[in-house]
Amino acid sequence: MSERPYVLLSCAMSVDGYIDDATPERLRLSSPADFDRVDGVRAACDAILVGAGTVRADDPRLLLRSPARRERRIARGQPGDPAKVTLTWSGDLDPEARFFTTGEARKLVYTLPGTAAGLAARLGDRAEVVDAGDPVSLPAVLADLSARSVRRLMVEGGGGMHTRFLTAGLVDELHLVVAPFFIGDPSAPRFVGPGVFPQSPERPMRLDEATRIGDLVLLRYLAGGARG
């Protein structure tokens, strides 16, 4: 098995690069057809990773929507849903969040050494808490996931996670859906933050697919992530 899983990063954004607006209600950037496409991508992955901020802000279930896709996974000897993974520096996670309370798949929380014991006590049997070093090391997280037979990992946000994975050169494939409108609010979250990205004018990503989904467009890039 490779030292880390194949990493697929998935995001929907406005034309001007925002992944939400600044209102309390979650902005829907995708369409039903695109949600179904994402569900199919999830079904082909072993685990889905989001940052703790996304768990707090969006309260996602991270479960497959399609019973048929779940049944096909079970028929192949896989869990019905991919494992759920999150990273937290503060340990500020609610044990009642749907991330922990929905689905039978494994839930993994990677955190700092000084936070791990207290967080494990609060979460109990709802998740396994893993010491990922100080600071939390993405290569260590990926190596641990690989040791747990995670061969294909889907990263779904938020912007902080996108930035960390991309600047570290740990993304192999990028699915970027562009919605046909602008947000224009500098206080709203963006697809990525500032950083030094290996995908540069000298080392661009390769566009492998451009697909129209109604008024949305899916851009599928091969990012050339480091595999060492």
Side-chain angles (χ1 to χ4, degrees):
M1 186 180 296
S2 65
E3 294 183 13
R4 69 167 178 85
Y6 185 91
V7 176
L8 185 157
L9 192 151
S10 175
C11 182
M13 70 176 193
S14 64
V15 170
D16 52 343
Y18 290 91
I19 57 175
D20 201 354
D21 58 21
T23 64
E25 185 176 348
R26 177 68 173 163
L27 176 67
R28 296 293 182 183
L29 289 147
S30 294
S31 64
D34 186 54
F35 284 132
D36 184 66
R37 178 196 63 81
V38 171
D39 197 57
V41 177
R42 282 181 172 182
C45 293
D46 300 302
I48 303 168
L49 183 149
V50 296
T54 297
V55 175
R56 290 189 291 268
D58 297 345
D59 196 20
R61 298 187 311 146
L62 300 182
L63 303 177
L64 297 184
R65 294 167 176 259
S66 165
R69 290 185 178 119
R70 185 175 291 111
E71 289 168 7
R72 285 195 292 269
R73 284 177 57 92
I74 293 170
R76 294 194 297 266
Q78 298 174 285
D81 292 287
K84 305 182 194 183
V85 183
T86 190
L87 278 63
T88 177
W89 280 251
S90 67
D92 180 18
L93 288 169
D94 182 357
E96 298 303 318
R98 295 192 297 177
F99 180 97
F100 301 110
T101 60
T102 61
E104 301 300 322
R106 172 182 287 179
K107 290 95 174 173
L108 297 167
V109 180
Y110 292 89
T111 191
L112 300 167
T115 305
L119 183 56
R122 283 197 296 110
L123 294 177
D125 61 1
R126 294 190 173 180
E128 181 178 349
V129 177
V130 183
D131 175 352
D134 187 2
V136 171
S137 164
L138 290 185
V141 169
L142 294 178
D144 186 76
L145 288 172
S146 182
R148 297 171 188 268
S149 298
V150 173
R151 293 172 174 79
R152 190 172 181 88
L153 174 69
M154 187 173 184
V155 177
E156 291 197 19
M161 283 295 103
H162 297 159
T163 304
R164 289 177 185 275
F165 272 87
L166 285 164
T167 55
L170 294 172
V171 174
D172 300 292
E173 185 174 332
L174 171 63
H175 292 191
L176 193 61
V177 169
V178 182
F181 51 77
F182 298 84
I183 302 298
D185 185 344
S187 65
R190 301 188 70 96
F191 165 45
V192 292
V196 179
F197 295 86
Q199 301 83 17
S200 64
E202 293 74 31
R203 190 189 176 197
M205 297 181 293
R206 179 167 69 83
L207 181 64
D208 196 61
E209 177 187 348
T211 302
R212 180 174 179 174
I213 309 171
D215 287 331
L216 306 174
V217 63
L218 164 66
L219 302 174
R220 179 174 170 269
Y221 289 99
L222 300 180
R227 295 295 292 173

